[in-house]
């Protein structure tokens, strides 16, 4: 065989020099990791244990035993490393790099031509082969090392050691490693001298970190009260001594030296470690102040008896908990009637104070919210004391403050009497016989007091139980049960179980009247006013349903309009707002008079609908609703045409206008901004009978073209009845409807020719024209209403607003009327002049708000 070395071989091998070196280095790293991973694992575990100070928590013997075990483990790891380590050769790296390339070009470059060395053609082929291999070898990249040892370490001990070492780096100290030197007997250097460690650990609630005293220089230390100081001494006993004056404790003179000292910072002082590397610190104690709490306002009571007591609490490190203690102020109780005898023993009432769920508790304001209406002390004098507790268990309590324990007030006389007797029963069991006699007297004539026989029977049942228990003994459980039944009965008497809307409204008015007479709070009056509003709204709804049924049955007579008063919802709302305003101003007499007038008006009221006094809809409204129905029907037809066009595409057919894309047709059948299927939903929402001669979607009414023709005929009929002739807006509406009709004709013709794309186009034009017509018709109706506004409103509004701001009745044309009670008063015009003068005076005062002066000026312009 003839050996042949070419320049291509040398150049090819030169290009793989760095990939070969990197691959060789990776093989060294791979071999070292696979051989030394047990030794590295042991070293990391030992270092982590020493940095965390585990050697300081066990005896010296245990440390020696652990050291022997570690030594044996290290010896075994070294033996394993020697047996597993294999020195990687350059040829091994070259073979690994060659194996990573297709066709092993490096081996091909190292080969020689075996035959045909003298043949020119054979040599040319060999040179071409060598050149191709050299080019392929030039693309070589270093092969990454395989550092995985999972097959050798199935339990992942190396990861456990790495995690343990990372924890030691974060929470441990490298200086603790040196402490093990003091445990080696006979060692020189640092191991011969004593060493110490110390920590200052503030209480957890302070949020301050733990301090490592060996890292602190001598000087001033500011530590919170209760900080735990721990000092550990190593080496010869007595070589290091610790002196401190911060704990306030004195150590006996004959006490033996300790290697571990623990004490707390209870006062300012000094800490000294005397000996080699000793330190001295002057400690200033940061005192932990006691928490504080106070009541910041008067208790607020809701209508149903819920109490809201505001308070503020503070602490330097945050309040942990608090409570309110309520005790009966027996000296302030009016000891009469059922309260004259001594009360039964009852524990104080303890209620936890609400704390902020999140945020800072060092300084906050909260409200104690609770309902004590069912408690025996409700509406009786009590003493309330608030107390709070901090994390160091320091407690602070306020001085007891007197107040009336808030509870629900009952304005119905019978309900209030039942609640009073319930209170007497809970005051003392000895009141049972007296209670039965009083309730008998109260309910002597039940038909005059109770609104239902059920309530009377319930009270009679409780009276019988009280009489029996008064003779045979009243236990605590029976006492609580009877008290609960009396409470439920009082609630029923107060609120009622009425099903009729009118009766509920009357009941709400009566309760509000009683509240005003009895001097109820603003919160109670506001709650009762809301109840009256709700009951009135229910009555109005019931009255509307009743009138609608009467109109449907043809039972409403024309003569009724002269006997009843008509009122709109806005009128009623204004009257109730006026009543509430009078009550807020403290003008209870006027508010009560206005409430009586409202009650009389509600008794004889008819609720107006639509145009007041007409009992129906105006021609403009009917036309507007008809056009809206036509627009919905046209939208439904357009959607149906678009669905048919989609079916043609889905079946593989071609539309009649091949120039149009499906997306264009969809845009024509669907209005801008309209979701697919919207028109269909609108058509489905239409009720039968809304338009005469108009077909409904989903019904069998012929083809789409026939429905389009019927819709065109309906539009022609509506165009003929369109109001607003002669006005510009009315003519504009007619012109728009004419364009809509022509577009409908074109759509009908296209549908009959099965040209769905053109039909959708025309239908879109028709819908746009219908919208323009509706807008023009709306403008015409608005202009007509403005013209009629100056001539007065209908009879219903005249009766609803039959008085102007000056107290005068208004005639049908908006002027002054000589009819009514005011005209019979000789001094009516004189009072009117006084009112006008007062309005002029107030309108000229610049200090008044701009809104009020504008309103007064409008009154002067009108009157």
């Amino acid at each position: 065989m003839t050996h042949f070395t070419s320049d291509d071989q040398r150049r090819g091998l030169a290009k793989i020099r760095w990939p070969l070196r990197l691959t060789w280095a990776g093989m060294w790293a791979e071999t070292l990791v696979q051989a030394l991973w047990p030794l590295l694992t042991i070293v990391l575990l030992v270092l982590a244990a020493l940095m965390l100070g585990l050697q300081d928590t066990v005896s010296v013997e245990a440390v020696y035993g652990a050291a022997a075990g570690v030594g044996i483990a290290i010896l075994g790891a070294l033996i394993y490393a020697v047996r597993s380590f294999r020195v990687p050769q350059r040829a091994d790296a070259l073979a690994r790099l060659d194996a990573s390339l297709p066709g092993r070009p490096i081996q091909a470059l190292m080969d020689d031509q075996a035959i045909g060395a003298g043949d020119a053609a054979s040599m040319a082929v060999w040179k071409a082969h060598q050149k191709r291999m050299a080019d392929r070898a030039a693309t070589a990249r270093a092969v990454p090392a395989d550092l995985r040892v999972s097959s050798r370490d199935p339990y992942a001990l190396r990861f456990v050691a790495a995690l343990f070492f990372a924890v030691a780096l974060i929470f441990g100290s490298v200086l603790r490693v040196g402490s093990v030197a003091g445990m080696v007997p006979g060692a020189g250097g640092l191991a011969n001298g004593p060493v110490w460690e110390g920590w200052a650990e503030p209480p957890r609630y302070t949020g301050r970190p733990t301090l490592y005293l060996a890292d602190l220089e001598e000087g001033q230390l500011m530590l919170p009260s209760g900080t735990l100081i721990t000092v550990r001494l190593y080496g010869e006993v007595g070589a290091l001594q610790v002196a401190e004056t911060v704990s306030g404790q004195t150590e006996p003179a004959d006490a033996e030296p300790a290697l571990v000292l623990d004490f707390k910072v209870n006062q300012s002082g000094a800490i000294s470690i005397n000996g080699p590397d000793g330190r001295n610190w002057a400690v200033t104690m940061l005192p932990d102040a006691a928490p504080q709490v106070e009541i910041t306002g008067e208790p607020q009571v809701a209508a149903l008896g819920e109490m809201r007591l505001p308070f503020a609490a503070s602490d330097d490190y945050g309040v942990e908990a608090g409570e309110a203690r309520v005790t009966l102020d027996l000296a302030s109780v009016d000891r009469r009637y059922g309260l004259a005898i001594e009360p039964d023993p009852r524990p104080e009432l303890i209620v936890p104070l609400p704390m902020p769920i999140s945020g800072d508790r060092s300084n906050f304001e909260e409200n104690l919210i609770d309902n004590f209406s069912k408690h025996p002390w409700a509406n009786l004098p009590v003493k309330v004391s608030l107390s709070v507790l901090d994390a160091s268990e320091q407690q602070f309590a306020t001085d007891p403050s007197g107040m009336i324990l808030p509870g629900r007030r009952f304005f119905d006389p019978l309900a209030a009497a039942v609640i009073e007797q319930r209170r007497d029963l809970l005051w003392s069991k000895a009141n049972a016989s007296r209670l039965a006699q009083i309730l008998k007297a109260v309910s002597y004539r039940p038909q005059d007091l109770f609104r239902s026989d059920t309530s009377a029977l319930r009270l009679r049942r409780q009276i019988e139980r009280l009489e029996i228990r008064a003779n045979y003994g009243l236990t605590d459980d029976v006492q609580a049960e009877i008290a609960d039944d009396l409470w439920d009965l009082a609630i029923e008497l107060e609120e009622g179980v009425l099903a009729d809307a009118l009766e509920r409204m009357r009941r709400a008015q009566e309760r509000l009247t009683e509240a005003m007479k009895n001097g109820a709070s603003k919160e109670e009056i506001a709650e009762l006013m809301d109840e009256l509003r709700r009951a009135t709204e229910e009555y109005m709804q019931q009255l509307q349903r009743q009138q609608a049924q009467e109109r449907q049955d043809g039972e409403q007579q024309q003569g009724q309009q002269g006997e009843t008063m008509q009122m709109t919802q806005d009128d009623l709302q204004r009257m109730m707002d006026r009543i509430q305003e009078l009550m807020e101003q403290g003008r209870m007499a006027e508010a009560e008079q206005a409430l009586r007038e409202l009650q009389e008006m509600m008794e004889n009221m008819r609720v107006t609908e639509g145009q007041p006094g007409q009992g129906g809809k105006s021609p403009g409204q009917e036309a507007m609703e008809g056009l809206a129905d036509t627009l919905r029907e046209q939208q439904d037809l357009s959607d149906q045409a678009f669905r048919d066009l989609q079916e043609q595409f889905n079946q593989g057919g071609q539309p009649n206008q091949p120039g149009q894309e499906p997306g264009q047709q969809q845009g024509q059948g669907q209005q801008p901004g309209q979701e697919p299927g919207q028109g269909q939903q609108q058509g489905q929402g239409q009720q039968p009978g809304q338009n005469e001669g108009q077909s409904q979607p989903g019904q069998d009414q012929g083809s789409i073209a026939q429905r389009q023709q019927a819709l065109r005929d309906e539009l022609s009929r509506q165009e003929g009845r369109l109001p607003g002739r002669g006005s510009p807006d009315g003519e504009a509406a007619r012109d728009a409807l004419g364009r809509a009709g022509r577009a409908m004709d074109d759509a009908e013709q296209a549908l009959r020719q099965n040209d769905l794309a053109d039909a959708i186009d025309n239908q879109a034009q028709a819908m746009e024209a219908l919208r323009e017509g509706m807008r023009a018709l709306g403008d015409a109706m608005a202009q007509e209403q403005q013209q009629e506004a100056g001539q007065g409103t209908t009879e219903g509004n005249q009766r609803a607003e039959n008085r102007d701001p000056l107290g005068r009745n208004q005639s049908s044309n908006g002027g002054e009327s000589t009819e009514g009670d005011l005209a019979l008063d000789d001094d009516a015009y004189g009072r009117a002049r006084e009112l006008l003068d007062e309005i002029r005076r107030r309108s000229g005062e610049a200090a008044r708000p701009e809104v009020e002066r504008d309103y007064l000026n409008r009154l002067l312009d009108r009157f």
Side-chain angles (χ1 to χ4, degrees):
M1 181 177 66
T2 302
H3 294 280
F4 181 81
T5 301
S6 64
D7 294 338
D8 292 335
Q9 286 179 320
R10 289 191 296 270
R11 287 194 299 269
L13 294 176
K15 292 181 179 179
I16 65 172
R17 182 181 297 114
W18 280 108
L20 178 61
R21 291 176 180 175
L22 295 176
T23 303
W24 196 4
M27 293 179 67
W28 271 96
E30 180 180 327
T31 304
L32 290 174
V33 168
Q34 292 178 355
L36 299 178
W37 74 265
L39 182 61
L40 293 175
T41 300
I42 295 173
V43 171
L44 290 178
L45 288 174
V46 172
L47 287 177
L50 294 177
M51 292 170 62
L52 290 174
L54 298 182
Q55 72 277 9
D56 300 332
T57 61
V58 296
S59 62
V60 177
E61 291 77 8
V63 174
Y64 289 161
V70 170
I72 296 174
I74 290 177
L75 180 60
L78 290 174
I79 296 175
Y80 176 84
V82 171
R83 296 183 59 183
S84 301
F85 184 75
R86 295 291 183 272
V87 178
Q89 302 295 327
R90 184 177 183 276
D92 298 334
L94 190 62
R96 176 177 289 190
L97 183 62
D98 192 22
S100 66
L101 298 173
R104 293 185 175 269
I106 299 176
Q107 184 64 39
L109 288 174
M110 298 174 63
D111 290 342
D112 296 329
Q113 185 177 3
I115 58 175
D119 186 5
S122 179
M123 292 179 62
V125 172
W126 177 253
K127 289 182 178 181
H129 173 66
Q130 291 281 32
K131 186 178 184 304
R132 186 168 58 251
M133 292 298 102
D135 295 339
R136 186 174 297 176
T139 63
R141 297 292 182 269
V143 180
D146 185 9
L147 302 179
R148 294 174 297 179
V149 292
S150 55
S151 59
R152 301 170 183 263
D153 182 19
Y155 298 105
L157 297 178
R158 62 195 186 281
F159 294 136
V160 174
L163 178 61
F164 195 19
F165 185 71
V167 173
L169 286 176
I170 298 174
F171 300 102
S173 173
V174 180
L175 298 177
R176 293 180 180 177
V177 179
S179 65
V180 74
M183 301 180 182
V184 180
L190 181 62
N192 289 333
V195 294
W196 62 273
E197 283 186 303
W199 299 268
E201 184 180 359
R204 187 179 301 273
Y205 62 82
T206 62
R208 294 174 175 263
T210 300
L211 302 178
Y212 187 59
L213 297 180
D215 293 340
L216 301 179
E217 299 294 336
E218 293 184 348
Q220 187 77 17
L221 279 182
M222 302 184 67
L223 300 176
S225 174
T227 299
L228 177 64
I229 306 296
T230 303
V231 180
R232 294 180 180 272
L233 307 178
Y234 308 103
E236 183 182 354
V237 177
L240 293 173
Q241 294 181 353
V242 179
E244 55 87 14
T245 59
V246 296
S247 64
Q249 301 176 356
T250 58
E251 186 177 355
D254 56 348
E256 296 182 358
L259 298 179
V260 180
L261 293 89
D262 294 325
F263 53 89
K264 288 187 177 182
V265 177
N266 297 323
Q267 62 186 13
S268 298
I271 299 177
S272 300
I273 301 177
N274 302 318
D277 196 23
R279 308 283 175 85
N280 296 304
W281 295 282
V283 178
T284 301
M285 187 193 72
L286 302 177
D288 184 4
Q292 299 293 324
V293 64
E294 62 176 346
I295 300 175
T296 58
E298 295 295 328
Q300 302 175 1
V301 188
L304 298 181
E306 184 181 71
M307 182 196 72
R308 180 184 296 267
L309 181 64
F311 69 93
S314 61
D315 185 68
D316 46 3
Y317 295 114
V319 179
E320 288 295 317
E323 63 184 14
R325 294 180 175 268
V326 182
T327 57
L328 180 65
D329 187 5
L330 193 59
S332 301
V333 176
D334 186 7
R335 304 294 296 275
R336 294 187 301 171
Y337 310 119
L339 306 180
I341 62 177
E342 289 299 318
D344 293 339
R346 191 173 297 274
E348 62 180 354
L349 181 61
I350 301 177
V351 182
L353 294 179
M355 295 287 134
I357 298 177
S358 61
D360 188 15
R361 290 191 178 186
S362 60
N363 192 354
F364 64 91
E365 294 183 359
E366 276 288 348
N367 291 285
L368 173 61
I369 301 176
D370 209 331
N371 196 330
F372 303 103
S373 299
K374 300 180 70 173
H375 196 272
W377 297 342
N379 297 315
L380 290 179
V382 294
K383 290 186 178 295
V384 180
S385 176
L386 304 185
S387 61
V388 289
L389 183 74
D390 64 2
S392 61
E393 297 185 354
Q394 296 184 97
Q395 189 173 2
F396 173 81
T398 62
D399 295 332
S401 59
M403 59 179 291
I404 300 297
L405 185 64
R408 177 170 180 172
R409 298 181 60 184
F410 290 79
F411 300 104
D412 182 88
L414 182 57
V418 173
I419 285 298
E420 182 180 353
Q421 300 311 309
R422 174 185 178 274
R423 181 204 63 189
D424 294 347
L425 175 65
L426 294 175
W427 179 268
S428 175
K429 297 185 182 69
N431 282 327
S433 58
R434 175 183 178 275
L435 180 63
Q437 295 177 357
I438 294 178
L439 291 179
K440 273 186 176 181
V442 169
S443 59
Y444 175 68
R445 302 184 63 179
Q447 66 276 8
D448 297 336
L449 292 176
F450 295 93
R451 298 177 180 84
S452 65
D453 296 338
T454 304
S455 301
L457 291 175
R458 289 183 61 180
L459 181 59
R460 177 58 59 184
R461 168 62 178 164
Q462 301 306 321
I463 294 174
E464 293 175 355
R465 294 180 63 186
L466 285 171
E467 290 177 340
I468 294 174
R469 291 297 177 177
N471 296 327
Y472 297 98
L474 185 64
T475 62
D476 293 340
D477 294 338
V478 176
Q479 180 190 31
E481 184 179 350
I482 295 177
D484 291 340
D485 292 340
L486 291 177
W487 175 268
D488 296 338
L489 177 60
I491 293 295
E492 179 180 321
L493 295 173
E494 178 75 9
E495 298 179 355
V497 291
L498 307 175
D500 184 73
L502 178 59
E503 198 63 32
R504 282 197 300 272
M505 184 187 66
R506 291 173 178 170
R507 181 67 184 140
Q509 292 172 347
E510 293 175 2
R511 293 184 61 194
L512 183 58
T513 302
E514 291 294 331
M516 288 188 292
K517 290 180 179 178
N518 297 334
S521 64
K522 293 183 179 180
E523 291 78 9
E524 292 172 329
I525 290 179
E527 183 71 21
L528 295 174
M529 193 67 195
D530 292 339
E531 180 184 349
L532 177 59
R533 290 178 187 273
R534 292 191 296 268
T536 305
E537 290 176 0
E538 293 177 3
Y539 174 66
M540 295 282 285
Q541 294 173 1
Q542 178 180 346
L543 191 58
Q544 288 175 347
R545 290 191 296 268
Q546 180 181 357
Q547 292 179 3
Q549 184 65 31
E550 291 177 354
R551 286 195 297 268
Q552 183 177 357
D553 298 339
E555 297 177 359
Q556 185 173 356
Q557 302 296 330
Q558 297 293 334
Q560 293 179 351
Q561 298 181 0
E563 301 173 1
T564 59
M565 176 175 292
Q566 297 180 350
M567 179 180 293
T568 63
Q569 290 278 4
D570 293 337
D571 301 329
L572 182 61
Q573 186 66 33
R574 284 195 296 269
M575 293 187 65
M576 299 187 72
D577 291 341
R578 178 59 177 167
I579 294 175
Q580 186 168 5
E581 180 182 357
L582 292 172
M583 289 189 296
E584 292 175 353
Q585 295 176 356
R587 300 157 64 179
M588 293 301 177
E590 298 179 34
E592 186 176 353
Q593 177 64 27
L595 185 60
R596 284 197 298 268
E597 294 177 359
L598 174 63
Q599 184 174 2
E600 295 175 359
M601 293 170 62
M602 294 295 293
E603 295 288 343
N604 302 302
M605 186 186 67
R606 287 181 57 249
V607 181
T608 61
E609 298 178 3
Q611 293 286 340
Q614 293 181 359
K617 300 176 182 178
S618 66
Q621 289 177 329
E622 293 179 355
M624 186 68 74
E625 292 181 1
L627 291 177
D629 295 337
T630 302
L631 179 60
R632 283 193 294 268
E633 178 66 16
Q634 183 62 74
Q635 179 68 65
D636 182 68
L637 292 177
S638 179
D639 292 340
Q640 182 64 42
F642 178 71
R643 288 192 294 270
D644 293 345
L645 184 62
Q646 283 183 322
E647 291 177 2
Q648 288 184 2
F649 280 106
N650 295 335
Q651 294 173 3
Q654 298 294 330
N656 292 333
Q657 297 182 9
Q660 290 182 340
E661 296 294 335
Q664 295 174 348
Q665 295 170 359
Q666 183 176 358
Q668 294 167 354
Q670 178 178 322
Q671 296 300 321
Q674 185 177 5
E675 297 293 337
Q678 182 176 346
Q680 181 182 0
Q681 295 171 1
Q682 291 175 350
Q684 291 173 353
Q686 182 178 344
Q687 300 297 328
Q690 286 182 342
N691 283 328
E692 299 176 1
Q694 180 175 325
S695 59
Q696 299 296 325
Q699 298 177 357
D700 186 12
Q701 305 213 5
S703 65
I704 304 179
Q706 293 175 348
R707 294 170 60 190
Q708 185 67 66
Q709 180 183 3
L711 186 62
R712 173 67 177 93
D713 297 339
E714 173 65 18
L715 180 62
S716 300
R717 185 180 65 83
Q718 292 176 354
E719 186 177 0
R721 298 187 304 175
L722 197 68
R725 292 185 179 275
S727 64
D729 292 327
E731 295 301 327
R734 286 183 171 79
D735 180 65
L737 295 185
R739 286 187 282 109
R742 290 190 292 272
M744 288 182 181
D745 292 336
D746 296 340
E748 177 192 353
Q749 184 177 2
L751 289 172
R752 295 189 184 279
Q753 295 174 0
N754 201 23
D755 188 358
L756 296 178
D758 188 48
I760 293 174
D761 238 348
N762 292 317
Q763 288 172 340
Q765 296 176 7
M767 287 187 290
E768 183 61 28
L770 282 173
R771 293 189 181 95
E772 293 180 3
M774 293 175 65
R775 285 194 292 267
L777 179 59
D779 294 340
M781 293 173 58
Q783 184 178 4
E784 183 179 356
Q785 290 177 358
Q786 291 178 358
Q787 293 176 355
E788 293 178 355
Q791 299 177 359
T793 57
T794 57
E795 180 183 355
N797 280 338
Q798 294 172 8
R799 293 181 178 272
E801 296 180 349
N802 57 344
R803 292 182 182 274
D804 59 27
L806 298 181
R808 300 174 297 185
N809 288 333
Q810 292 181 329
S811 61
S812 59
N813 60 357
E816 299 180 10
S817 173
T818 58
E819 301 176 359
D821 298 337
L822 188 60
L824 300 178
D825 191 353
D826 295 336
D827 197 26
Y829 292 102
R831 288 193 287 114
R833 284 191 299 271
E834 293 176 359
L835 288 175
L836 282 173
D837 294 339
E838 180 65 19
I839 291 175
R840 291 191 184 97
R841 185 186 65 80
R842 295 188 179 185
S843 64
E845 295 178 356
R848 291 187 177 274
E850 185 67 22
V851 177
E852 181 181 356
R853 288 192 286 113
D854 290 343
Y855 172 70
L856 296 174
N857 290 330
R858 288 197 301 271
L859 288 180
L860 292 175
D861 293 341
R862 183 174 181 183
F863 301 104

